Structure formats: structure tokens, C-alpha cells
Amino acid sequence: VNAQLSRDNILLQHEMEVLRHELHLLTKDSTYAQKQQTLQLRNMSLLPAQVISNSIHMADNYIVINVGSDHGVQPEMGVVAGTGVVGIVCNVTPRYALVLPLHHSRSSISCRLRHTEYFGYLKWSGRNPLHAYIDDIPRHAQFSVGDVVETSGFSNIFPPGIFIGRIARIRNSSDGLAYQPDVQLS
């Protein structure tokens, strides 16, 4: 009985260390992302808003926020949260705005792999609301699982360097001519 209890104790201690390490990584990433985002947005005019309604399990998800044209919101403005990019305003009324989030079938955000020159467009496959993919990363690109994905700055909507997520899996595009990495969204 003592031998079995010792084995169980060792297994539990190992499991606890693995979970403690994962928690540390998750906490560190969130704090780092918030600090980096604050630095990136320091010269931008920010407008606080609250989510009135949202959906995440359909092919065409939307978010409604409680600010609109009366508050200065216009279509094609970027929307960010404490941990990164949320989406783009697509329609506005005087008091509300409709946001096309990252997990929408028409969403396409210009992004890049941090500390590289490789960029593409972030798109959502329509399945998991926590994952999207990047189209057209060239075959000669060198990157790995865990690398940061951020806005590229190649559009007028988001400045460069806003956190989007991390590479979760690397796979080939359907034609085999490029990579199509899977991104775990922030």
C-alpha cells in the first residue's frame, strides 16, 4: 500500500509541476501582451466600450458594442481588447456598433510573424473560435510552434505589432506551395 501511495504521490507531483509551468506561461503571455499592446497603442485615440451581445459558434459571428457614431465610431475602425485584436467595425448606428470579429467567415486581417518579414492574412476556418490560420506564408520561411503572430501594419486599421495569437500548428496549404499555420487566438 505504501509503494502504491508513493507512486501516486510522485505522479501527482509531476502533474502539478506540469500544470504550474503551463499556468506560468499563460499568465506571462497575457501580461506581456497587455504591456506590448499598451505601448503600441499609446499614440492612438482609444474609446472604451462594452460588449452588448456576441456569438462564437456560427460561420458568421458578430459582436455588438455600446458605442456608435455619437461617440465618434466609424466603419473600418479596429477593435482591440486587453489581450489583442478583436475585429473591425463594419456598421454603426448613433449608439451602437457592429463588429466583424476574427471568428467570422469574411474576416481577413493583415498579420505577420513577430521578428520576421513574413506576413499573410489571418482567416477563420469556421470551426474552433479559438483558432484561425494564416494564408500564404512562403515555404522558405523559418518559424516554429509558439511564435507570436501580430498585426503587420500594412493596412490603415491596425498599427503594426498588436498581438493576435501564437502559432499552434504548422501545416501545408492545400496546393502545397506555402505554409498555412494554425494560430491560437489571444
Side-chain angles (χ1 to χ4, degrees), residues 131 145-146 166-170 182-184:
H131 287 266
V145 170
R166 291 187 175 273
I167 300 294
R169 188 176 77 175
I170 300 171
D182 183 41
V183 178
Q184 182 172 352

Side-chain angles (χ1 to χ4, degrees), residues 9 11 33 143 170:
N9 194 23
L11 274 172
F143 61 100
I170 300 171

